[in-house]
Amino acid sequence: AAGVIQSPRHLIKEKRETATLKCYPIPRHDTVYWYQQGPGQDPQFLISFYEKMQSDKGSIPDRFSAQQFSDYHSELNMSSLELGDSALYFCASSLEQENTEAFFGQGTRLTVV
Amino acid sequence: SQQGEEDPQALSIQEGENATMNCSYKTSINNLQWYRQNSGRGLVHLILIRSNEREKHSGRLRVTLDTSKKSSSLLITASRAADTASYFCATDATPGTYKYIFGTGTRLKVLA
């Protein structure tokens, strides 16, 4: 069965650079979530989209933005990268939000040097 | 702030033993999901339990939910070395919103 696809799997950027992370949800899933997980930390909710509209926002820095496109894939744009942005970034998708499983991708490991 | 707190934070058991992990949360929920994560890898969905359910089974996994106590437990029976991972619970922190909030996780180590 198709899973959530994230690209790239690994990314190395320098401070102050920009990064774009992509997420391709499971086919027919209309809800996408983004999470950040620092070393030894639990996943922190960043932002979510339902039917291409932003639905909820968590602890996402103003330097970050995201959107969901007409084909339901999503991109997380991160600008003015800081060392502290180094983390695993996960995308998850679900079919509608209430009472359905949210499935996660393998994540993008971002290292800022 | 954390929606969920998991207990214990770390657990070490012998292969064949049962492992029980607990999760507490603060707000009312529609559902609670359990995930497994191997070190530095993706989050694997294990099971979803809805607020009107009290218990669910999936293979060697048994999940209970007590909404009056705002807590859930995950039981892994007959554990295997391959079960070594971190286990997280996640709740839809506010029903009707589009986000799941994760607990702090339990690091399980199963010794062969």
Side-chain angles (χ1 to χ4, degrees), chain A residues 31 33 35 37 42-45 48 50 55-56 88 90 97-106 109, chain B residues 2 30-31 33 35 37 40-43 45 48 50 88 92 95-104:
Chain A
T31 306
Y33 316 78
Y35 287 82
Q37 186 179 31
D42 53 285
Q44 293 291 316
F45 173 75
S48 62
Y50 169 64
S55 50
D56 273 284
L88 266 170
F90 289 107
Q97 194 271 349
E98 293 202 15
N99 284 330
T100 60
E101 293 89 344
F103 295 97
F104 281 74
Q106 287 298 302
R109 181 174 295 281
Chain B
Q2 297 298 328
N30 277 329
N31 67 68
Q33 307 192 50
Y35 291 87
Q37 185 179 36
R41 307 287 292 276
L43 290 150
H45 187 273
L48 177 150
R50 295 178 173 80
F88 294 91
D92 56 342
T97 63
Y98 292 79
K99 63 181 175 183
Y100 284 96
I101 303 299
F102 280 78
T104 50

Side-chain angles (χ1 to χ4, degrees), chain B residues 9 22 27 30 51 60 63 67 71 82 87 98-99 104-105:
Chain B
Q9 291 195 340
N22 303 297
T27 64
N30 277 329
S51 60
R60 294 184 295 112
V63 167
T67 52
S71 68
Y87 291 82
Y98 292 79
K99 63 181 175 183
T104 50

Side-chain angles (χ1 to χ4, degrees), chain B:
Chain B
S1 63
Q2 297 298 328
Q3 163 72 335
E5 295 291 331
E6 282 163 84
D7 154 52
Q9 291 195 340
L11 181 61
S12 187
I13 60 174
Q14 295 290 326
E15 214 168 22
E17 293 182 337
N18 295 341
T20 299
M21 289 158 272
N22 303 297
C23 165
S24 60
Y25 56 91
K26 298 174 185 173
T27 64
S28 60
I29 61 171
N30 277 329
N31 67 68
L32 183 147
Q33 307 192 50
W34 283 92
Y35 291 87
R36 183 185 74 231
Q37 185 179 36
N38 291 85
S39 181
R41 307 287 292 276
L43 290 150
V44 176
H45 187 273
L46 296 177
I47 202 163
L48 177 150
I49 186 164
R50 295 178 173 80
S51 60
N52 61 352
E53 297 173 317
R54 292 296 166 259
E55 188 171 311
K56 278 188 91 166
H57 297 255
S58 176
R60 294 184 295 112
L61 306 180
R62 173 178 167 247
V63 167
T64 62
L65 180 64
D66 187 335
T67 52
S68 66
K69 295 181 180 177
K70 291 187 169 58
S71 68
S72 174
S73 68
L74 170 67
L75 168 67
I76 303 174
T77 60
S79 63
R80 305 166 182 167
D83 295 328
T84 295
S86 291
Y87 291 82
F88 294 91
C89 69
T91 56
D92 56 342
T94 305
T97 63
Y98 292 79
K99 63 181 175 183
Y100 284 96
I101 303 299
F102 280 78
T104 50
T106 293
R107 292 186 309 281
L108 173 66
K109 188 168 186 178
V110 181
L111 304 169

